[in-house]
Amino acid sequence: MVSGPENPSPHIPPCAEITGMGWAAPGVASGTAVVCNALSVFPIATPLSYASHRARFMHSVRTSFPRPTCFRHSGSGGNEPDECRQRKRPENQGGNRLIVTEYVQISIETLHTFLSRVFVARGFNAADASFIADTLIDADRRGISSHGVQRLAMYDHKLRHGMIDPNAHATVVSDVKACAVLDGHSGMGQLISRDAMELAISKAQNHGIGIVAVRDSNHFGTAGFYARMAADQGLIGLASTNSNPLTVPTHAGLPALGSNPIAFAVGQGDDQLVYDAATSTVSLGKIEVLVKLGQPIEGDWAVDGQGLINHDSADVMDNIKATPRIGGLTPLGGAGETNAGYKGYGLALMVETFTGILSGGLLSLDMRGQHICHCFAAISLESFGGAPLVGSRVAELSRRLRSMPSVDGHDVLVPGDKENTAFRINTTTVTVDEATFRQLAKIGERTGIAAPPAIALDEYR
Ligand SMILES: NC(=O)c1ccc[n+]([C@@H]2O[C@H](COP(=O)([O-])OP(=O)(O)OC[C@H]3O[C@@H](n4cnc5c(N)ncnc54)[C@H](O)[C@@H]3O)[C@@H](O)[C@H]2O)c1
Ligand SMILES: O=C(O)C[C@H](O)C(=O)O
């Protein structure tokens, strides 16, 4: 049944050594700024550097905030009006919008040391701890704040409660030519996924393509990280995962599918094209960040139990955490059929097939925060003219798209541009929201490890 594995990872024992593996599914600091106003929203979706925040904020002040009701420059105490302090579900969310925007800038080096030490304290060896820290910081550097250190509290919770086994390594369930299935044994999603993508890359180098489905893993962070691993080696990379039930099928009022992202990467260096997104309208992480900032949801990202659009970020989070869950994320395209949300629903189902179904693991529908399934694929470009040729054609296509005239004042971009730009800017520091900053401090206290301090923002003084 199982052929000899091509096994690039010292962590994955060859399938021949695996016996009895069936297919049953496994069971402010100082220096922050607060800005409030009743009628506008500060854009937080793709944070760049603090300077960019500042520039974008000042632009929005000039264009949208003719008379800001409060504007505090520094310190976490302050005497600002009560409404400026409000964080949890402002009463007027979705109507007159309350803005509470606080960000903290921290050094990447200090953050990396902190994260690595926390993960070592939670049972990982130093190399694995450092790798996990790399993945979280990579997300923040790229402006994907939904999946950077703001998720440390989630991982820490799962580690403390035995939902993630820091010592687990993937084992091979089945390995036939270009395809394999791994069992992650409830290990850390980032480590299991790294090893699975390494196996897919090695298979693609040998067979032209490699596809590795994984069961019983955990939350892996951004899908793009793993797709880029393959692209960096001159292949096409694909990565996906299922998750807790978060997304409502078209016409349903309960979540049944994960936010099930798909990441695709091709090309190298500055010309790398990376599409990395949920098959729900956005990831849940984006709503978590809005809750932390006390901001409503601008877009039609979520519905309540009746299928009505819900713009109240805190309410959406409460509903998603409720037992049973109520409402959820809209599939990509939106609620109902008007904007073809059934296509996002279909894409989410495709991901569910490649992850939960092909791996023989848990479906999103049955998931409760663990036993997550992934799928990784790598495609060799040897038969298609080779990586340099394909890369140059992709780069040329991207250049032609970017040179298209804009109709609304925003540049035409290609997927990956925002993240690549942010990555180039955020070389020494990253910006986190203040609630996340406080979470880091709390985890620091709990583990006895000094949390990274905020870097003073002189421009606000
Ligand atoms: N681990 C999980 O379970 C899980 C689940 C869902 C999402 N995620 C991750 O969450 C992250 C965010 O996902 P999301 O869906 O909220 O992201 P999103 O809605 O911000 O979409 C991001 C994608 O859209 C592209 N993009 C943005 N603006 C563009 C423009 N003007 N022109 C062209 N392309 C543009 C980006 O480059 C990126 O590829 C991703 O990294 C994803 O992998 C993880
Ligand atoms: O939050 C999850 O469980 C999945 C994912 O990370 C998301 O943000 O949608």
PDB file of all heavy atoms in Angstrom, residues 389-421:
ATOM      1  N   LEU A 389      11.838  31.272 -16.658  1.00  0.00           N
ATOM      2  CA  LEU A 389      10.928  31.733 -17.718  1.00  0.00           C
ATOM      3  C   LEU A 389       9.536  32.011 -17.142  1.00  0.00           C
ATOM      4  O   LEU A 389       8.950  33.086 -17.382  1.00  0.00           O
ATOM      5  CB  LEU A 389      10.831  30.686 -18.836  1.00  0.00           C
ATOM      6  CG  LEU A 389       9.848  31.057 -19.963  1.00  0.00           C
ATOM      7  CD1 LEU A 389      10.374  32.259 -20.759  1.00  0.00           C
ATOM      8  CD2 LEU A 389       9.604  29.876 -20.897  1.00  0.00           C
ATOM      9  N   VAL A 390       9.027  31.051 -16.392  1.00  0.00           N
ATOM     10  CA  VAL A 390       7.678  31.248 -15.812  1.00  0.00           C
ATOM     11  C   VAL A 390       7.697  32.489 -14.910  1.00  0.00           C
ATOM     12  O   VAL A 390       6.792  33.343 -14.973  1.00  0.00           O
ATOM     13  CB  VAL A 390       7.220  29.999 -15.028  1.00  0.00           C
ATOM     14  CG1 VAL A 390       5.926  30.268 -14.276  1.00  0.00           C
ATOM     15  CG2 VAL A 390       7.040  28.814 -15.979  1.00  0.00           C
ATOM     16  N   GLY A 391       8.767  32.614 -14.111  1.00  0.00           N
ATOM     17  CA  GLY A 391       8.873  33.770 -13.210  1.00  0.00           C
ATOM     18  C   GLY A 391       8.868  35.075 -13.982  1.00  0.00           C
ATOM     19  O   GLY A 391       8.192  36.037 -13.600  1.00  0.00           O
ATOM     20  N   SER A 392       9.582  35.111 -15.112  1.00  0.00           N
ATOM     21  CA  SER A 392       9.648  36.378 -15.867  1.00  0.00           C
ATOM     22  C   SER A 392       8.307  36.671 -16.540  1.00  0.00           C
ATOM     23  O   SER A 392       7.895  37.832 -16.656  1.00  0.00           O
ATOM     24  CB  SER A 392      10.789  36.365 -16.880  1.00  0.00           C
ATOM     25  OG  SER A 392      10.509  35.435 -17.892  1.00  0.00           O
ATOM     26  N   ARG A 393       7.586  35.625 -16.939  1.00  0.00           N
ATOM     27  CA  ARG A 393       6.267  35.862 -17.557  1.00  0.00           C
ATOM     28  C   ARG A 393       5.265  36.362 -16.509  1.00  0.00           C
ATOM     29  O   ARG A 393       4.443  37.225 -16.780  1.00  0.00           O
ATOM     30  CB  ARG A 393       5.759  34.579 -18.234  1.00  0.00           C
ATOM     31  CG  ARG A 393       6.640  34.139 -19.403  1.00  0.00           C
ATOM     32  CD  ARG A 393       5.937  33.136 -20.279  1.00  0.00           C
ATOM     33  NE  ARG A 393       4.842  33.740 -21.002  1.00  0.00           N
ATOM     34  CZ  ARG A 393       3.811  33.075 -21.521  1.00  0.00           C
ATOM     35  NH1 ARG A 393       3.750  31.776 -21.369  1.00  0.00           N
ATOM     36  NH2 ARG A 393       2.858  33.699 -22.170  1.00  0.00           N
ATOM     37  N   VAL A 394       5.353  35.773 -15.305  1.00  0.00           N
ATOM     38  CA  VAL A 394       4.479  36.243 -14.222  1.00  0.00           C
ATOM     39  C   VAL A 394       4.809  37.701 -13.896  1.00  0.00           C
ATOM     40  O   VAL A 394       3.914  38.542 -13.731  1.00  0.00           O
ATOM     41  CB  VAL A 394       4.646  35.349 -12.953  1.00  0.00           C
ATOM     42  CG1 VAL A 394       3.989  35.988 -11.733  1.00  0.00           C
ATOM     43  CG2 VAL A 394       4.058  33.968 -13.203  1.00  0.00           C
ATOM     44  N   ALA A 395       6.113  38.006 -13.850  1.00  0.00           N
ATOM     45  CA  ALA A 395       6.525  39.379 -13.522  1.00  0.00           C
ATOM     46  C   ALA A 395       6.013  40.355 -14.576  1.00  0.00           C
ATOM     47  O   ALA A 395       5.537  41.458 -14.259  1.00  0.00           O
ATOM     48  CB  ALA A 395       8.046  39.445 -13.421  1.00  0.00           C
ATOM     49  N   GLU A 396       6.082  39.947 -15.835  1.00  0.00           N
ATOM     50  CA  GLU A 396       5.625  40.804 -16.933  1.00  0.00           C
ATOM     51  C   GLU A 396       4.103  41.020 -16.835  1.00  0.00           C
ATOM     52  O   GLU A 396       3.603  42.140 -16.999  1.00  0.00           O
ATOM     53  CB  GLU A 396       6.017  40.159 -18.275  1.00  0.00           C
ATOM     54  CG  GLU A 396       5.527  40.881 -19.527  1.00  0.00           C
ATOM     55  CD  GLU A 396       6.013  42.329 -19.628  1.00  0.00           C
ATOM     56  OE1 GLU A 396       6.946  42.714 -18.900  1.00  0.00           O
ATOM     57  OE2 GLU A 396       5.414  43.090 -20.427  1.00  0.00           O
ATOM     58  N   LEU A 397       3.389  39.936 -16.547  1.00  0.00           N
ATOM     59  CA  LEU A 397       1.932  40.060 -16.383  1.00  0.00           C
ATOM     60  C   LEU A 397       1.618  41.034 -15.236  1.00  0.00           C
ATOM     61  O   LEU A 397       0.761  41.924 -15.368  1.00  0.00           O
ATOM     62  CB  LEU A 397       1.325  38.678 -16.095  1.00  0.00           C
ATOM     63  CG  LEU A 397      -0.154  38.641 -15.711  1.00  0.00           C
ATOM     64  CD1 LEU A 397      -1.030  39.208 -16.815  1.00  0.00           C
ATOM     65  CD2 LEU A 397      -0.594  37.206 -15.383  1.00  0.00           C
ATOM     66  N   SER A 398       2.336  40.878 -14.131  1.00  0.00           N
ATOM     67  CA  SER A 398       2.101  41.760 -12.976  1.00  0.00           C
ATOM     68  C   SER A 398       2.384  43.209 -13.359  1.00  0.00           C
ATOM     69  O   SER A 398       1.624  44.115 -13.005  1.00  0.00           O
ATOM     70  CB  SER A 398       2.991  41.355 -11.802  1.00  0.00           C
ATOM     71  OG  SER A 398       2.674  40.056 -11.389  1.00  0.00           O
ATOM     72  N   ARG A 399       3.494  43.424 -14.073  1.00  0.00           N
ATOM     73  CA  ARG A 399       3.844  44.801 -14.480  1.00  0.00           C
ATOM     74  C   ARG A 399       2.733  45.396 -15.335  1.00  0.00           C
ATOM     75  O   ARG A 399       2.355  46.550 -15.174  1.00  0.00           O
ATOM     76  CB  ARG A 399       5.169  44.811 -15.259  1.00  0.00           C
ATOM     77  CG  ARG A 399       6.381  45.024 -14.367  1.00  0.00           C
ATOM     78  CD  ARG A 399       7.626  45.342 -15.186  1.00  0.00           C
ATOM     79  NE  ARG A 399       8.097  44.192 -15.955  1.00  0.00           N
ATOM     80  CZ  ARG A 399       8.857  43.228 -15.446  1.00  0.00           C
ATOM     81  NH1 ARG A 399       9.237  43.275 -14.178  1.00  0.00           N
ATOM     82  NH2 ARG A 399       9.233  42.211 -16.175  1.00  0.00           N
ATOM     83  N   ARG A 400       2.208  44.608 -16.271  1.00  0.00           N
ATOM     84  CA  ARG A 400       1.148  45.123 -17.158  1.00  0.00           C
ATOM     85  C   ARG A 400      -0.115  45.454 -16.361  1.00  0.00           C
ATOM     86  O   ARG A 400      -0.794  46.439 -16.623  1.00  0.00           O
ATOM     87  CB  ARG A 400       0.843  44.100 -18.256  1.00  0.00           C
ATOM     88  CG  ARG A 400       1.979  44.027 -19.277  1.00  0.00           C
ATOM     89  CD  ARG A 400       1.786  42.920 -20.270  1.00  0.00           C
ATOM     90  NE  ARG A 400       0.635  43.093 -21.132  1.00  0.00           N
ATOM     91  CZ  ARG A 400       0.195  42.172 -21.987  1.00  0.00           C
ATOM     92  NH1 ARG A 400       0.823  41.014 -22.082  1.00  0.00           N
ATOM     93  NH2 ARG A 400      -0.842  42.402 -22.737  1.00  0.00           N
ATOM     94  N   LEU A 401      -0.423  44.600 -15.377  1.00  0.00           N
ATOM     95  CA  LEU A 401      -1.617  44.872 -14.564  1.00  0.00           C
ATOM     96  C   LEU A 401      -1.420  46.133 -13.724  1.00  0.00           C
ATOM     97  O   LEU A 401      -2.285  47.006 -13.658  1.00  0.00           O
ATOM     98  CB  LEU A 401      -1.919  43.673 -13.657  1.00  0.00           C
ATOM     99  CG  LEU A 401      -2.329  42.398 -14.399  1.00  0.00           C
ATOM    100  CD1 LEU A 401      -2.363  41.201 -13.463  1.00  0.00           C
ATOM    101  CD2 LEU A 401      -3.696  42.575 -15.068  1.00  0.00           C
ATOM    102  N   ARG A 402      -0.236  46.240 -13.119  1.00  0.00           N
ATOM    103  CA  ARG A 402       0.024  47.407 -12.256  1.00  0.00           C
ATOM    104  C   ARG A 402       0.044  48.706 -13.040  1.00  0.00           C
ATOM    105  O   ARG A 402      -0.188  49.776 -12.490  1.00  0.00           O
ATOM    106  CB  ARG A 402       1.369  47.242 -11.539  1.00  0.00           C
ATOM    107  CG  ARG A 402       1.366  46.219 -10.454  1.00  0.00           C
ATOM    108  CD  ARG A 402       2.671  46.307  -9.655  1.00  0.00           C
ATOM    109  NE  ARG A 402       2.911  45.083  -8.928  1.00  0.00           N
ATOM    110  CZ  ARG A 402       3.833  44.171  -9.265  1.00  0.00           C
ATOM    111  NH1 ARG A 402       4.608  44.356 -10.320  1.00  0.00           N
ATOM    112  NH2 ARG A 402       3.970  43.088  -8.544  1.00  0.00           N
ATOM    113  N   SER A 403       0.357  48.618 -14.332  1.00  0.00           N
ATOM    114  CA  SER A 403       0.454  49.868 -15.124  1.00  0.00           C
ATOM    115  C   SER A 403      -0.916  50.316 -15.644  1.00  0.00           C
ATOM    116  O   SER A 403      -1.030  51.335 -16.312  1.00  0.00           O
ATOM    117  CB  SER A 403       1.430  49.682 -16.286  1.00  0.00           C
ATOM    118  OG  SER A 403       0.870  48.756 -17.202  1.00  0.00           O
ATOM    119  N   MET A 404      -1.962  49.547 -15.338  1.00  0.00           N
ATOM    120  CA  MET A 404      -3.293  49.964 -15.807  1.00  0.00           C
ATOM    121  C   MET A 404      -3.724  51.239 -15.099  1.00  0.00           C
ATOM    122  O   MET A 404      -3.482  51.407 -13.902  1.00  0.00           O
ATOM    123  CB  MET A 404      -4.321  48.853 -15.534  1.00  0.00           C
ATOM    124  CG  MET A 404      -4.108  47.632 -16.399  1.00  0.00           C
ATOM    125  SD  MET A 404      -5.269  46.318 -15.989  1.00  0.00           S
ATOM    126  CE  MET A 404      -6.760  46.981 -16.674  1.00  0.00           C
ATOM    127  N   PRO A 405      -4.365  52.165 -15.841  1.00  0.00           N
ATOM    128  CA  PRO A 405      -4.808  53.403 -15.196  1.00  0.00           C
ATOM    129  C   PRO A 405      -5.866  53.115 -14.141  1.00  0.00           C
ATOM    130  O   PRO A 405      -6.715  52.246 -14.317  1.00  0.00           O
ATOM    131  CB  PRO A 405      -5.393  54.230 -16.344  1.00  0.00           C
ATOM    132  CG  PRO A 405      -5.279  53.421 -17.574  1.00  0.00           C
ATOM    133  CD  PRO A 405      -4.681  52.091 -17.269  1.00  0.00           C
ATOM    134  N   SER A 406      -5.770  53.834 -13.037  1.00  0.00           N
ATOM    135  CA  SER A 406      -6.738  53.658 -11.953  1.00  0.00           C
ATOM    136  C   SER A 406      -7.969  54.506 -12.222  1.00  0.00           C
ATOM    137  O   SER A 406      -7.867  55.598 -12.762  1.00  0.00           O
ATOM    138  CB  SER A 406      -6.071  54.099 -10.643  1.00  0.00           C
ATOM    139  OG  SER A 406      -7.044  54.373  -9.681  1.00  0.00           O
ATOM    140  N   VAL A 407      -9.124  53.993 -11.829  1.00  0.00           N
ATOM    141  CA  VAL A 407     -10.348  54.785 -12.006  1.00  0.00           C
ATOM    142  C   VAL A 407     -10.745  55.492 -10.714  1.00  0.00           C
ATOM    143  O   VAL A 407     -11.656  56.320 -10.716  1.00  0.00           O
ATOM    144  CB  VAL A 407     -11.541  53.906 -12.467  1.00  0.00           C
ATOM    145  CG1 VAL A 407     -11.326  53.424 -13.882  1.00  0.00           C
ATOM    146  CG2 VAL A 407     -11.778  52.749 -11.494  1.00  0.00           C
ATOM    147  N   ASP A 408     -10.071  55.163  -9.609  1.00  0.00           N
ATOM    148  CA  ASP A 408     -10.530  55.733  -8.342  1.00  0.00           C
ATOM    149  C   ASP A 408      -9.407  56.296  -7.478  1.00  0.00           C
ATOM    150  O   ASP A 408      -9.571  56.503  -6.273  1.00  0.00           O
ATOM    151  CB  ASP A 408     -11.302  54.671  -7.541  1.00  0.00           C
ATOM    152  CG  ASP A 408     -10.455  53.430  -7.278  1.00  0.00           C
ATOM    153  OD1 ASP A 408      -9.234  53.468  -7.544  1.00  0.00           O
ATOM    154  OD2 ASP A 408     -11.006  52.420  -6.811  1.00  0.00           O
ATOM    155  N   GLY A 409      -8.248  56.481  -8.085  1.00  0.00           N
ATOM    156  CA  GLY A 409      -7.156  57.079  -7.322  1.00  0.00           C
ATOM    157  C   GLY A 409      -6.302  56.063  -6.567  1.00  0.00           C
ATOM    158  O   GLY A 409      -5.261  56.424  -6.024  1.00  0.00           O
ATOM    159  N   HIS A 410      -6.735  54.814  -6.522  1.00  0.00           N
ATOM    160  CA  HIS A 410      -5.916  53.779  -5.879  1.00  0.00           C
ATOM    161  C   HIS A 410      -5.189  52.998  -6.966  1.00  0.00           C
ATOM    162  O   HIS A 410      -5.804  52.607  -7.962  1.00  0.00           O
ATOM    163  CB  HIS A 410      -6.790  52.809  -5.082  1.00  0.00           C
ATOM    164  CG  HIS A 410      -7.511  53.475  -3.948  1.00  0.00           C
ATOM    165  ND1 HIS A 410      -6.908  53.730  -2.747  1.00  0.00           N
ATOM    166  CD2 HIS A 410      -8.779  53.933  -3.848  1.00  0.00           C
ATOM    167  CE1 HIS A 410      -7.763  54.323  -1.948  1.00  0.00           C
ATOM    168  NE2 HIS A 410      -8.913  54.464  -2.585  1.00  0.00           N
ATOM    169  N   ASP A 411      -3.917  52.736  -6.755  1.00  0.00           N
ATOM    170  CA  ASP A 411      -3.145  51.998  -7.762  1.00  0.00           C
ATOM    171  C   ASP A 411      -3.732  50.619  -8.005  1.00  0.00           C
ATOM    172  O   ASP A 411      -4.254  49.986  -7.087  1.00  0.00           O
ATOM    173  CB  ASP A 411      -1.703  51.805  -7.279  1.00  0.00           C
ATOM    174  CG  ASP A 411      -0.929  53.115  -7.315  1.00  0.00           C
ATOM    175  OD1 ASP A 411      -1.393  54.058  -7.981  1.00  0.00           O
ATOM    176  OD2 ASP A 411       0.131  53.174  -6.652  1.00  0.00           O
ATOM    177  N   VAL A 412      -3.615  50.155  -9.246  1.00  0.00           N
ATOM    178  CA  VAL A 412      -3.946  48.748  -9.532  1.00  0.00           C
ATOM    179  C   VAL A 412      -2.769  47.913  -9.012  1.00  0.00           C
ATOM    180  O   VAL A 412      -1.616  48.184  -9.335  1.00  0.00           O
ATOM    181  CB  VAL A 412      -4.141  48.525 -11.049  1.00  0.00           C
ATOM    182  CG1 VAL A 412      -4.375  47.051 -11.342  1.00  0.00           C
ATOM    183  CG2 VAL A 412      -5.276  49.390 -11.573  1.00  0.00           C
ATOM    184  N   LEU A 413      -3.087  46.937  -8.190  1.00  0.00           N
ATOM    185  CA  LEU A 413      -2.057  46.081  -7.585  1.00  0.00           C
ATOM    186  C   LEU A 413      -2.245  44.651  -8.056  1.00  0.00           C
ATOM    187  O   LEU A 413      -3.263  44.328  -8.668  1.00  0.00           O
ATOM    188  CB  LEU A 413      -2.189  46.112  -6.061  1.00  0.00           C
ATOM    189  CG  LEU A 413      -2.107  47.479  -5.383  1.00  0.00           C
ATOM    190  CD1 LEU A 413      -2.392  47.352  -3.891  1.00  0.00           C
ATOM    191  CD2 LEU A 413      -0.745  48.111  -5.610  1.00  0.00           C
ATOM    192  N   VAL A 414      -1.292  43.807  -7.735  1.00  0.00           N
ATOM    193  CA  VAL A 414      -1.523  42.367  -7.889  1.00  0.00           C
ATOM    194  C   VAL A 414      -1.433  41.751  -6.491  1.00  0.00           C
ATOM    195  O   VAL A 414      -0.806  42.332  -5.589  1.00  0.00           O
ATOM    196  CB  VAL A 414      -0.532  41.685  -8.856  1.00  0.00           C
ATOM    197  CG1 VAL A 414      -0.678  42.240 -10.259  1.00  0.00           C
ATOM    198  CG2 VAL A 414       0.894  41.783  -8.366  1.00  0.00           C
ATOM    199  N   PRO A 415      -2.054  40.582  -6.302  1.00  0.00           N
ATOM    200  CA  PRO A 415      -2.001  39.952  -4.983  1.00  0.00           C
ATOM    201  C   PRO A 415      -0.553  39.823  -4.507  1.00  0.00           C
ATOM    202  O   PRO A 415       0.337  39.456  -5.290  1.00  0.00           O
ATOM    203  CB  PRO A 415      -2.633  38.584  -5.229  1.00  0.00           C
ATOM    204  CG  PRO A 415      -3.541  38.791  -6.390  1.00  0.00           C
ATOM    205  CD  PRO A 415      -2.855  39.804  -7.266  1.00  0.00           C
ATOM    206  N   GLY A 416      -0.353  40.146  -3.257  1.00  0.00           N
ATOM    207  CA  GLY A 416       0.989  40.077  -2.669  1.00  0.00           C
ATOM    208  C   GLY A 416       1.668  41.432  -2.594  1.00  0.00           C
ATOM    209  O   GLY A 416       2.593  41.623  -1.805  1.00  0.00           O
ATOM    210  N   ASP A 417       1.231  42.399  -3.403  1.00  0.00           N
ATOM    211  CA  ASP A 417       1.910  43.703  -3.420  1.00  0.00           C
ATOM    212  C   ASP A 417       1.876  44.385  -2.059  1.00  0.00           C
ATOM    213  O   ASP A 417       2.887  44.905  -1.579  1.00  0.00           O
ATOM    214  CB  ASP A 417       1.267  44.637  -4.464  1.00  0.00           C
ATOM    215  CG  ASP A 417       1.762  44.350  -5.883  1.00  0.00           C
ATOM    216  OD1 ASP A 417       2.657  43.489  -6.033  1.00  0.00           O
ATOM    217  OD2 ASP A 417       1.242  44.967  -6.830  1.00  0.00           O
ATOM    218  N   LYS A 418       0.683  44.408  -1.442  1.00  0.00           N
ATOM    219  CA  LYS A 418       0.577  45.123  -0.168  1.00  0.00           C
ATOM    220  C   LYS A 418       1.504  44.485   0.868  1.00  0.00           C
ATOM    221  O   LYS A 418       2.201  45.169   1.606  1.00  0.00           O
ATOM    222  CB  LYS A 418      -0.865  45.077   0.353  1.00  0.00           C
ATOM    223  CG  LYS A 418      -1.821  45.970  -0.408  1.00  0.00           C
ATOM    224  CD  LYS A 418      -3.217  45.869   0.189  1.00  0.00           C
ATOM    225  CE  LYS A 418      -4.192  46.762  -0.551  1.00  0.00           C
ATOM    226  NZ  LYS A 418      -5.574  46.533  -0.133  1.00  0.00           N
ATOM    227  N   GLU A 419       1.484  43.162   0.891  1.00  0.00           N
ATOM    228  CA  GLU A 419       2.270  42.448   1.900  1.00  0.00           C
ATOM    229  C   GLU A 419       3.774  42.605   1.621  1.00  0.00           C
ATOM    230  O   GLU A 419       4.572  42.772   2.548  1.00  0.00           O
ATOM    231  CB  GLU A 419       1.892  40.965   1.914  1.00  0.00           C
ATOM    232  CG  GLU A 419       0.488  40.678   2.445  1.00  0.00           C
ATOM    233  CD  GLU A 419      -0.635  40.955   1.431  1.00  0.00           C
ATOM    234  OE1 GLU A 419      -0.339  41.141   0.230  1.00  0.00           O
ATOM    235  OE2 GLU A 419      -1.810  40.994   1.853  1.00  0.00           O
ATOM    236  N   ASN A 420       4.157  42.541   0.335  1.00  0.00           N
ATOM    237  CA  ASN A 420       5.580  42.693   0.007  1.00  0.00           C
ATOM    238  C   ASN A 420       6.074  44.088   0.358  1.00  0.00           C
ATOM    239  O   ASN A 420       7.184  44.262   0.867  1.00  0.00           O
ATOM    240  CB  ASN A 420       5.825  42.416  -1.483  1.00  0.00           C
ATOM    241  CG  ASN A 420       5.730  40.933  -1.795  1.00  0.00           C
ATOM    242  OD1 ASN A 420       5.878  40.102  -0.899  1.00  0.00           O
ATOM    243  ND2 ASN A 420       5.467  40.598  -3.054  1.00  0.00           N
ATOM    244  N   THR A 421       5.242  45.092   0.090  1.00  0.00           N
ATOM    245  CA  THR A 421       5.637  46.467   0.419  1.00  0.00           C
ATOM    246  C   THR A 421       5.806  46.606   1.925  1.00  0.00           C
ATOM    247  O   THR A 421       6.793  47.160   2.409  1.00  0.00           O
ATOM    248  CB  THR A 421       4.568  47.467  -0.080  1.00  0.00           C
ATOM    249  OG1 THR A 421       4.406  47.263  -1.476  1.00  0.00           O
ATOM    250  CG2 THR A 421       4.970  48.905   0.179  1.00  0.00           C
TER     251      THR A 421
END
